[in-house]
Amino acid sequence: MNDYDYICAATTVPLFVGFGLVPELAPASVALSSYTKQMYDGKIYPSRRAHMGFDEAGILHGRLDDPADGDLFRIGIEKHFHLVVDRVHAKTKLSRAAHWRLVGDAIAQRFLDASLRFDAIEAANAAAICILKTPASPLANRELHHVNLTQYDRHGKAVRETFRQRGGCCRFYLVKAAPIVPPAC
């Protein structure tokens, strides 16, 4: 679930933050391809990869600073993930709310990443919080925040950085320990 959240967020959020594009996220308008590629960095290892595409006809043009466009983005994410959350919940029995928190965490992190990439820190973070804090939205989570930290360098110049405070839980502590087996070369 977490992988899919980040794949979807990594493809949709930069489109919105950088270009004001809101893709149609209905299943018929989205294509997903995932695969494993052999990588080399001193040794060969498998690396998971994914590509996500959208029907060009369903892409709406908007603005990052327009709350109505933020609502369109949020509604698209909610519609897209309802079926995914329901199916993964049925398989894992992890609560739907926990799955929605994972979706929100992924969206929040990708907004931070895109805000830096497109030099739109204030606008992107404001839009993210509006999207992720809409009352009655399954994405709304009181634990999720963006936190600003300021540190001063040796010259007294303020260096400010924004971090995401996660609202979800990875649940890895519920997984039984197993030996780590390196991939065969």
Side-chain angles (χ1 to χ4, degrees), residues 39-57:
M39 303 294 287
Y40 180 78
D41 186 17
K43 64 178 185 171
I44 296 173
Y45 63 94
S47 178
R48 295 183 323 191
R49 301 286 185 198
H51 295 283
M52 191 170 212
F54 309 101
D55 181 357
E56 207 174 303

Side-chain angles (χ1 to χ4, degrees), residues 61-102:
H61 296 270
R63 290 190 358 240
L64 180 63
D65 61 352
D66 185 340
D69 293 332
D71 282 342
L72 284 175
F73 182 84
R74 176 186 52 78
I75 291 165
I77 292 291
E78 289 172 2
K79 285 180 179 178
H80 182 79
F81 275 99
H82 265 292
L83 180 60
V84 176
V85 166
D86 286 345
R87 294 232 173 124
V88 175
H89 162 72
K91 291 270 188 198
T92 66
K93 304 304 179 212
L94 183 62
S95 75
R96 286 178 179 85
H99 286 297
W100 281 109
R101 287 191 296 270
L102 293 173

Side-chain angles (χ1 to χ4, degrees), residues 50-171:
H51 295 283
M52 191 170 212
F54 309 101
D55 181 357
E56 207 174 303
I59 295 178
L60 303 173
H61 296 270
R63 290 190 358 240
L64 180 63
D65 61 352
D66 185 340
D69 293 332
D71 282 342
L72 284 175
F73 182 84
R74 176 186 52 78
I75 291 165
I77 292 291
E78 289 172 2
K79 285 180 179 178
H80 182 79
F81 275 99
H82 265 292
L83 180 60
V84 176
V85 166
D86 286 345
R87 294 232 173 124
V88 175
H89 162 72
K91 291 270 188 198
T92 66
K93 304 304 179 212
L94 183 62
S95 75
R96 286 178 179 85
H99 286 297
W100 281 109
R101 287 191 296 270
L102 293 173
V103 174
D105 287 346
I107 298 292
Q109 184 60 50
R110 293 306 185 184
F111 262 93
L112 280 177
D113 297 342
S115 75
L116 294 170
R117 170 102 170 118
F118 293 104
D119 194 26
I121 294 169
E122 298 300 324
N125 290 340
I129 295 303
C130 286
I131 289 165
L132 297 169
K133 295 291 188 175
T134 299
S137 167
L139 294 168
N141 178 352
R142 69 176 180 262
E143 304 300 326
L144 177 65
H145 298 284
H146 284 161
V147 178
N148 297 313
L149 297 178
T150 303
Q151 187 174 346
Y152 295 90
D153 67 13
R154 62 186 168 135
H155 304 291
K157 182 180 176 190
V159 178
R160 183 174 169 234
E161 183 133 8
T162 303
F163 296 90
R164 171 200 59 175
Q165 176 181 307
R166 290 185 64 207
C169 165
C170 67
R171 296 289 180 143

Side-chain angles (χ1 to χ4, degrees), residues 7-22:
I7 291 166
C8 189
T11 54
T12 58
V13 172
L15 290 174
F16 184 53
V17 172
F19 308 101
L21 301 176
V22 181

